[in-house]
Amino acid sequence: MRSDLIFWDVDTQVDFMKADGKLYVPDSEAIIPTLRQLTEHAHERGIRIIASADDHVPGHRELSDTPDYRETFPEHCMRGTPGQQKIPETALRHPLLIEPEPRDPAALGAKARNHDGDILFHKHWFDVFTNPNVLPVLDALAPAYATTVHKAQGSEYPVVVLPLARHHGRMLRRNLVYTAITRAKRLVVLVVEGNALELAIAGRPEPRRWSKLRELLCA
């Protein structure tokens, strides 16, 4: 399995993708041929697929008889039903199934790194990150094709691409640029808008931070 790239498959389940599904997304069937091609492309090239899937039982907070279709929905993707299954076109290879119950991060990370196959996260809420095991696994796999400078501190990468945009003016600081550049082992590519780099290295004073700490301490 490649360690520098993953393919993320979001909820390609029968109840969402098929016209007779419990929570069908209109016209989603039109993209199924493309999903099949992407899945085959990933498997042929050893790219790990990380997938999420709803796995509901009665009583989950997302389910309601009077849904608002923002945070609550009718019953769908119920455990053990055909609608909960992934469509055949996005079938996973040797998937490591990770349920939402918390697990030891170090042990789970090691298992994910050593697993020769895809990974499937079950979830009981539409946000995949409500499965507390997602972040430890992603940190262990660490493709880091996009991350923040702050999160990258202490890490190194063969190549770093650093975008600097003027509309993020408050973040354009010399120490941030230094930290980003020193993460690279071989190559740094700067993608700069206008004079953003000059602004960053100009050594401007830090803006005053209004934390209200004095008022809170004296209250």
Side-chain angles (χ1 to χ4, degrees), residues 147-216:
T147 188
T148 65
V149 174
H150 295 88
K151 186 175 180 180
Q153 291 187 71
S155 300
E156 289 185 321
Y157 308 97
V159 178
V160 168
V161 179
L162 176 64
L164 296 172
R166 286 177 53 84
H167 62 275
H168 292 147
R170 289 178 60 86
M171 297 296 293
L172 294 176
R173 300 290 165 185
R174 182 186 299 173
N175 59 340
L176 182 139
V177 174
Y178 171 82
T179 301
I181 289 175
T182 54
R183 299 311 93 201
K185 293 181 179 179
R186 297 200 308 267
L187 176 68
V188 177
V189 178
L190 298 181
V191 182
V192 181
E193 178 188 19
N195 65 339
L197 180 60
E198 287 81 357
L199 291 175
I201 64 176
R204 294 173 296 154
E206 288 285 340
R208 187 170 182 179
R209 298 182 182 183
W210 297 96
S211 65
K212 288 190 173 289
L213 179 60
R214 178 187 299 175
E215 289 85 346
L216 291 171

Coordinates of all heavy atoms in Angstrom, one line a residue, residues 147-216:
T147 N -1.9 20.1 5.4 CA -1.9 20.2 6.8 C -1.5 21.7 7.2 O -1.1 22.4 6.4 CB -1.0 19.2 7.5 OG1 -1.2 19.3 8.9 CG2 0.5 19.5 7.2
T148 N -1.8 22.1 8.4 CA -1.4 23.4 8.9 C 0.0 23.4 9.3 O 0.6 22.4 9.7 CB -2.3 23.9 10.0 OG1 -2.1 23.0 11.2 CG2 -3.8 23.8 9.6
V149 N 0.6 24.6 9.3 CA 2.0 24.7 9.8 C 2.1 24.4 11.2 O 3.0 23.7 11.7 CB 2.5 26.2 9.5 CG1 3.9 26.4 10.2 CG2 2.6 26.5 8.0
H150 N 1.1 24.8 12.0 CA 1.1 24.5 13.4 C 1.1 23.0 13.7 O 1.9 22.5 14.5 CB 0.0 25.2 14.1 CG 0.0 26.6 14.1 ND1 -0.5 27.4 13.0 CD2 0.6 27.5 14.9 CE1 -0.3 28.7 13.2 NE2 0.3 28.8 14.4
K151 N 0.3 22.3 12.9 CA 0.2 20.8 13.1 C 1.5 20.1 12.6 O 1.9 19.1 13.1 CB -1.0 20.2 12.4 CG -1.3 18.8 12.7 CD -2.5 18.3 12.1 CE -2.7 16.8 12.4 NZ -4.0 16.2 11.8
A152 N 2.2 20.7 11.7 CA 3.3 20.1 11.1 C 4.6 20.3 12.0 O 5.6 19.7 11.7 CB 3.6 20.7 9.7
Q153 N 4.5 21.1 13.0 CA 5.7 21.3 13.9 C 6.2 20.0 14.4 O 5.4 19.2 14.9 CB 5.3 22.3 15.0 CG 5.1 23.7 14.6 CD 4.9 24.6 15.7 OE1 5.9 24.9 16.4 NE2 3.7 25.1 15.9
G154 N 7.5 19.8 14.3 CA 8.0 18.5 14.8 C 8.1 17.4 13.8 O 8.7 16.4 14.0
S155 N 7.5 17.6 12.6 CA 7.5 16.6 11.5 C 8.4 17.1 10.4 O 8.7 18.3 10.3 CB 6.1 16.4 11.0 OG 5.2 15.9 12.1
E156 N 8.7 16.2 9.5 CA 9.5 16.5 8.3 C 8.9 15.8 7.1 O 8.3 14.7 7.3 CB 11.0 16.1 8.4 CG 11.8 16.9 9.4 CD 13.2 16.5 9.4 OE1 13.5 15.3 9.3 OE2 14.1 17.4 9.5
Y157 N 9.0 16.4 5.9 CA 8.4 15.9 4.7 C 9.4 16.0 3.6 O 10.2 17.0 3.6 CB 7.1 16.6 4.3 CG 6.1 16.6 5.5 CD1 6.0 17.7 6.3 CD2 5.3 15.5 5.8 CE1 5.2 17.8 7.4 CE2 4.4 15.5 6.8 CZ 4.4 16.7 7.6 OH 3.5 16.7 8.7
P158 N 9.4 15.1 2.6 CA 10.4 15.3 1.5 C 10.2 16.6 0.7 O 11.2 17.3 0.4 CB 10.0 14.1 0.6 CG 9.4 13.1 1.5 CD 8.7 13.9 2.5
V159 N 8.9 17.0 0.5 CA 8.6 18.2 -0.2 C 7.5 19.0 0.5 O 6.6 18.4 1.0 CB 8.1 18.0 -1.6 CG1 7.8 19.3 -2.4 CG2 9.2 17.2 -2.4
V160 N 7.7 20.3 0.6 CA 6.7 21.2 1.3 C 6.3 22.2 0.2 O 7.1 22.9 -0.4 CB 7.2 21.9 2.5 CG1 6.3 23.0 3.0 CG2 7.4 20.8 3.6
V161 N 5.0 22.4 0.0 CA 4.4 23.4 -0.8 C 3.7 24.4 0.2 O 2.7 24.0 0.9 CB 3.4 22.9 -1.8 CG1 2.8 24.0 -2.7 CG2 4.1 21.9 -2.7
L162 N 4.1 25.6 0.2 CA 3.6 26.6 1.1 C 2.9 27.7 0.4 O 3.5 28.6 -0.3 CB 4.7 27.2 2.0 CG 4.3 28.3 3.0 CD1 3.4 27.8 4.0 CD2 5.6 29.0 3.6
P163 N 1.5 27.8 0.5 CA 0.8 28.9 -0.1 C 0.8 30.1 0.8 O 0.5 30.0 2.0 CB -0.6 28.4 -0.3 CG -0.8 27.3 0.7 CD 0.6 26.8 1.0
L164 N 1.0 31.3 0.3 CA 1.0 32.5 1.1 C 0.0 33.5 0.4 O 0.3 34.0 -0.7 CB 2.4 33.2 1.2 CG 3.4 32.3 2.0 CD1 4.8 33.0 1.9 CD2 3.0 32.2 3.5
A165 N -1.1 33.8 1.0 CA -2.1 34.6 0.4 C -2.3 35.9 1.3 O -2.3 35.9 2.5 CB -3.4 33.9 0.3
R166 N -2.5 37.0 0.6 CA -2.6 38.3 1.3 C -3.9 38.4 2.2 O -3.8 39.0 3.2 CB -2.7 39.4 0.2 CG -1.4 39.8 -0.4 CD -1.5 40.9 -1.5 NE -2.2 42.0 -0.9 CZ -1.6 43.0 -0.2 NH1 -0.3 42.9 -0.1 NH2 -2.2 44.0 0.2
H167 N -4.9 37.7 1.8 CA -6.1 37.8 2.6 C -6.0 37.0 3.9 O -6.9 37.1 4.7 CB -7.4 37.3 1.8 CG -7.4 35.9 1.4 ND1 -6.7 35.4 0.3 CD2 -7.9 34.8 2.0 CE1 -6.9 34.1 0.2 NE2 -7.6 33.7 1.2
H168 N -4.9 36.3 4.1 CA -4.6 35.8 5.5 C -3.6 36.6 6.1 O -2.6 36.1 6.8 CB -4.2 34.3 5.3 CG -5.2 33.4 4.8 ND1 -5.0 32.3 4.0 CD2 -6.6 33.4 5.0 CE1 -6.1 31.7 3.8 NE2 -7.1 32.3 4.4
G169 N -3.7 37.9 6.0 CA -2.6 38.8 6.5 C -2.2 38.6 7.9 O -1.1 38.8 8.3
R170 N -3.2 38.4 8.8 CA -2.9 38.2 10.2 C -1.9 37.0 10.5 O -1.2 37.0 11.5 CB -4.1 38.1 11.1 CG -5.0 39.3 11.2 CD -6.2 39.1 12.0 NE -5.9 38.6 13.3 CZ -5.7 39.4 14.3 NH1 -5.7 40.7 14.2 NH2 -5.5 38.9 15.5
M171 N -2.0 36.0 9.6 CA -1.1 34.8 9.7 C 0.2 35.0 9.1 O 1.1 34.1 9.2 CB -1.9 33.6 9.2 CG -3.1 33.3 9.9 SD -2.9 32.8 11.6 CE -2.0 31.3 11.4
L172 N 0.4 36.0 8.3 CA 1.7 36.2 7.6 C 2.8 36.7 8.6 O 3.0 37.9 8.7 CB 1.5 37.1 6.4 CG 0.6 36.6 5.3 CD1 0.4 37.7 4.2 CD2 1.1 35.3 4.7
R173 N 3.5 35.8 9.2 CA 4.5 36.1 10.2 C 5.8 35.3 9.8 O 5.8 34.2 9.3 CB 4.0 35.7 11.6 CG 2.8 36.4 12.0 CD 3.0 37.9 12.3 NE 1.7 38.6 12.3 CZ 1.7 39.9 12.5 NH1 2.8 40.6 12.5 NH2 0.5 40.5 12.5
R174 N 6.9 36.0 10.2 CA 8.2 35.4 9.9 C 8.4 34.0 10.5 O 8.9 33.1 9.9 CB 9.3 36.3 10.4 CG 10.7 35.8 10.1 CD 11.7 36.7 10.8 NE 11.7 38.1 10.3 CZ 12.3 39.1 10.8 NH1 13.1 38.9 11.9 NH2 12.2 40.3 10.3
N175 N 7.9 33.8 11.8 CA 8.1 32.5 12.4 C 7.3 31.4 11.7 O 7.7 30.3 11.7 CB 7.8 32.6 13.9 CG 6.4 33.1 14.2 OD1 5.7 33.7 13.3 ND2 5.9 32.8 15.4
L176 N 6.1 31.8 11.2 CA 5.3 30.8 10.5 C 6.0 30.3 9.2 O 6.1 29.1 8.9 CB 4.0 31.4 10.2 CG 3.0 30.4 9.5 CD1 1.6 30.6 10.1 CD2 2.9 30.7 8.0
V177 N 6.6 31.3 8.4 CA 7.3 30.9 7.2 C 8.5 30.1 7.6 O 8.8 29.1 6.9 CB 7.7 32.2 6.4 CG1 8.6 31.8 5.2 CG2 6.5 32.9 6.0
Y178 N 9.3 30.4 8.6 CA 10.4 29.7 9.0 C 10.1 28.3 9.3 O 10.7 27.3 8.9 CB 11.1 30.4 10.2 CG 12.2 29.5 10.8 CD1 13.5 29.5 10.2 CD2 12.0 28.8 11.9 CE1 14.5 28.7 10.8 CE2 13.0 28.0 12.5 CZ 14.2 28.0 11.9 OH 15.2 27.2 12.4
T179 N 9.0 28.1 10.1 CA 8.6 26.8 10.6 C 8.2 25.9 9.3 O 8.6 24.7 9.2 CB 7.4 26.8 11.5 OG1 7.8 27.6 12.7 CG2 7.0 25.5 12.0
A180 N 7.5 26.5 8.4 CA 7.0 25.8 7.2 C 8.2 25.3 6.4 O 8.3 24.2 6.0 CB 6.1 26.6 6.4
I181 N 9.1 26.2 6.1 CA 10.3 25.9 5.3 C 11.2 24.9 5.9 O 11.7 24.0 5.2 CB 11.1 27.2 5.0 CG1 10.3 28.1 4.1 CG2 12.5 26.9 4.4 CD1 11.0 29.5 3.8
T182 N 11.3 24.9 7.2 CA 12.2 23.9 7.8 C 11.6 22.6 8.0 O 12.2 21.7 8.6 CB 12.7 24.5 9.2 OG1 11.6 24.9 10.0 CG2 13.6 25.7 9.0
R183 N 10.4 22.4 7.6 CA 9.8 21.0 7.6 C 10.3 20.2 6.4 O 10.1 19.0 6.4 CB 8.2 21.1 7.5 CG 7.5 21.8 8.6 CD 7.9 21.4 10.0 NE 9.0 22.3 10.5 CZ 9.8 22.0 11.5 NH1 9.8 20.8 12.0 NH2 10.8 22.8 11.9
A184 N 10.8 20.8 5.4 CA 11.2 20.2 4.1 C 12.5 19.5 4.2 O 13.5 20.2 4.7 CB 11.1 21.1 3.0
K185 N 12.7 18.3 3.7 CA 14.0 17.6 3.6 C 14.7 18.0 2.3 O 15.9 18.1 2.3 CB 13.8 16.1 3.7 CG 13.2 15.6 5.1 CD 13.1 14.1 5.0 CE 12.6 13.6 6.4 NZ 12.4 12.1 6.3
R186 N 14.0 18.1 1.2 CA 14.6 18.2 -0.1 C 14.2 19.4 -0.9 O 15.0 20.1 -1.5 CB 14.4 17.0 -1.0 CG 14.9 15.7 -0.4 CD 15.0 14.6 -1.5 NE 13.8 14.5 -2.3 CZ 12.9 13.6 -2.0 NH1 13.1 12.7 -1.0 NH2 11.8 13.5 -2.7
L187 N 12.9 19.8 -0.8 CA 12.4 20.8 -1.7 C 11.3 21.6 -1.0 O 10.5 21.1 -0.3 CB 11.9 20.2 -3.0 CG 11.2 21.2 -4.0 CD1 12.3 22.1 -4.6 CD2 10.5 20.4 -5.1
V188 N 11.4 23.0 -1.2 CA 10.3 23.9 -0.8 C 9.8 24.6 -2.0 O 10.6 25.2 -2.8 CB 10.8 24.9 0.3 CG1 9.6 25.8 0.7 CG2 11.3 24.2 1.5
V189 N 8.5 24.6 -2.2 CA 7.8 25.4 -3.2 C 7.0 26.5 -2.6 O 6.1 26.1 -1.8 CB 7.0 24.5 -4.1 CG1 6.3 25.4 -5.2 CG2 7.8 23.4 -4.8
L190 N 7.2 27.7 -2.9 CA 6.4 28.8 -2.3 C 5.4 29.3 -3.4 O 5.8 29.6 -4.5 CB 7.3 30.0 -1.9 CG 8.3 29.7 -0.8 CD1 9.1 31.0 -0.5 CD2 7.6 29.2 0.5
V191 N 4.2 29.3 -3.1 CA 3.1 29.8 -4.0 C 2.6 31.1 -3.3 O 1.9 31.1 -2.4 CB 2.0 28.8 -4.1 CG1 0.9 29.3 -5.1 CG2 2.5 27.4 -4.6
V192 N 3.0 32.2 -3.9 CA 2.9 33.5 -3.2 C 2.0 34.5 -4.0 O 2.1 34.6 -5.3 CB 4.3 34.2 -3.1 CG1 4.1 35.5 -2.3 CG2 5.2 33.3 -2.3
E193 N 1.0 35.1 -3.3 CA 0.2 36.1 -3.9 C 0.8 37.5 -3.7 O 0.9 37.9 -2.5 CB -1.2 36.0 -3.3 CG -2.2 37.1 -3.9 CD -3.5 37.1 -3.1 OE1 -3.6 36.6 -2.0 OE2 -4.5 37.7 -3.7
G194 N 1.1 38.2 -4.8 CA 1.6 39.5 -4.6 C 2.8 39.6 -3.7 O 3.8 38.9 -3.8
N195 N 2.7 40.6 -2.7 CA 3.9 40.8 -1.8 C 3.6 40.1 -0.5 O 4.2 40.5 0.6 CB 4.1 42.3 -1.6 CG 2.9 42.9 -0.9 OD1 1.8 42.4 -0.9 ND2 3.1 44.1 -0.3
A196 N 2.9 39.0 -0.5 CA 2.6 38.3 0.8 C 3.9 37.8 1.5 O 4.0 37.8 2.7 CB 1.7 37.1 0.5
L197 N 4.9 37.3 0.7 CA 6.1 36.9 1.3 C 6.8 38.0 2.0 O 7.4 37.9 3.1 CB 7.0 36.2 0.3 CG 8.3 35.7 0.8 CD1 8.1 34.6 1.9 CD2 9.2 35.1 -0.4
E198 N 6.9 39.2 1.3 CA 7.6 40.4 1.9 C 6.9 40.8 3.2 O 7.5 41.1 4.2 CB 7.5 41.5 0.9 CG 8.5 41.4 -0.2 CD 8.0 40.5 -1.4 OE1 6.8 40.0 -1.2 OE2 8.7 40.4 -2.4
L199 N 5.5 40.7 3.2 CA 4.8 41.0 4.4 C 5.1 40.1 5.5 O 5.3 40.5 6.7 CB 3.3 41.0 4.2 CG 2.7 42.1 3.2 CD1 1.3 41.9 3.0 CD2 2.9 43.5 3.9
A200 N 5.3 38.8 5.2 CA 5.5 37.8 6.2 C 6.9 37.9 6.8 O 7.1 37.7 8.1 CB 5.4 36.4 5.6
I201 N 7.9 38.3 6.1 CA 9.3 38.4 6.6 C 9.7 39.8 7.1 O 10.8 40.0 7.5 CB 10.3 37.9 5.6 CG1 10.3 38.8 4.3 CG2 10.0 36.4 5.2 CD1 11.4 38.3 3.3
A202 N 8.7 40.7 7.0 CA 9.0 42.1 7.4 C 9.2 42.3 8.8 O 9.7 43.4 9.3 CB 7.9 43.0 6.9
G203 N 8.9 41.3 9.7 CA 9.1 41.5 11.1 C 8.2 42.4 11.7 O 8.6 43.2 12.7
R204 N 6.9 42.5 11.3 CA 6.0 43.4 11.8 C 5.7 43.0 13.3 O 5.7 41.8 13.6 CB 4.7 43.3 11.0 CG 4.8 43.9 9.6 CD 3.5 43.6 8.8 NE 3.3 42.2 8.7 CZ 2.1 41.7 8.5 NH1 1.0 42.4 8.5 NH2 1.9 40.4 8.3
P205 N 5.4 44.0 14.1 CA 5.0 43.6 15.5 C 3.8 42.8 15.6 O 2.9 43.0 14.8 CB 4.9 45.0 16.2 CG 4.5 45.9 15.1 CD 5.3 45.4 13.9
E206 N 3.8 41.9 16.6 CA 2.6 41.1 16.8 C 1.4 42.0 17.2 O 1.6 42.9 18.1 CB 2.8 40.0 17.9 CG 3.7 38.9 17.4 CD 3.0 37.9 16.5 OE1 1.8 37.9 16.5 OE2 3.7 37.2 15.7
P207 N 0.2 41.8 16.7 CA -0.9 42.6 17.1 C -1.3 42.3 18.6 O -1.1 41.2 19.0 CB -2.1 42.2 16.2 CG -1.7 40.8 15.7 CD -0.2 40.8 15.6
R208 N -1.7 43.3 19.3 CA -2.1 43.1 20.7 C -3.3 42.1 20.8 O -4.2 42.2 20.0 CB -2.5 44.4 21.3 CG -2.7 44.3 22.8 CD -2.8 45.7 23.5 NE -2.9 45.6 24.9 CZ -3.0 46.7 25.7 NH1 -3.0 47.9 25.2 NH2 -3.1 46.5 27.0
R209 N -3.1 41.2 21.7 CA -4.2 40.2 21.9 C -5.1 40.6 23.1 O -4.6 40.9 24.2 CB -3.6 38.8 22.2 CG -2.8 38.4 21.0 CD -2.2 37.0 21.3 NE -1.4 36.5 20.1 CZ -0.8 35.3 20.1 NH1 -1.0 34.5 21.0 NH2 0.0 35.0 19.0
W210 N -6.4 40.7 22.8 CA -7.3 41.1 23.8 C -8.0 39.9 24.5 O -9.0 39.4 24.0 CB -8.4 42.0 23.2 CG -7.8 43.3 22.7 CD1 -7.5 43.6 21.4 CD2 -7.5 44.4 23.4 NE1 -6.9 44.8 21.3 CE2 -6.9 45.4 22.5 CE3 -7.6 44.8 24.8 CZ2 -6.5 46.7 22.9 CZ3 -7.2 46.0 25.2 CH2 -6.6 47.0 24.3
S211 N -7.3 39.3 25.5 CA -7.8 38.1 26.1 C -8.7 38.3 27.2 O -9.4 37.4 27.7 CB -6.6 37.3 26.6 OG -5.9 38.0 27.7
K212 N -8.8 39.6 27.7 CA -9.6 40.0 28.9 C -9.1 39.2 30.2 O -9.9 39.1 31.1 CB -11.1 39.7 28.6 CG -11.7 40.7 27.7 CD -13.2 40.6 27.7 CE -13.8 41.7 26.8 NZ -13.7 43.0 27.5
L213 N -7.9 38.7 30.1 CA -7.4 38.0 31.3 C -7.3 38.8 32.5 O -7.7 38.4 33.6 CB -6.0 37.4 31.0 CG -5.3 36.6 32.1 CD1 -6.2 35.4 32.5 CD2 -3.9 36.1 31.7
R214 N -6.8 40.1 32.4 CA -6.7 41.0 33.5 C -8.1 41.2 34.1 O -8.3 41.1 35.4 CB -6.1 42.3 33.1 CG -6.0 43.3 34.3 CD -5.6 44.7 33.8 NE -4.3 44.6 33.2 CZ -3.7 45.7 32.6 NH1 -4.3 46.8 32.5 NH2 -2.5 45.5 32.1
E215 N -9.1 41.5 33.3 CA -10.5 41.7 33.8 C -11.0 40.5 34.6 O -11.6 40.6 35.6 CB -11.4 42.1 32.7 CG -11.1 43.5 32.1 CD -10.1 43.5 31.0 OE1 -9.3 42.4 30.9 OE2 -9.9 44.5 30.3
L216 N -10.7 39.3 34.0 CA -11.2 38.1 34.6 C -10.6 37.8 36.0 O -11.2 37.4 36.9 CB -11.0 36.9 33.7 CG -11.8 36.9 32.4 CD1 -11.4 35.8 31.5 CD2 -13.3 36.7 32.7

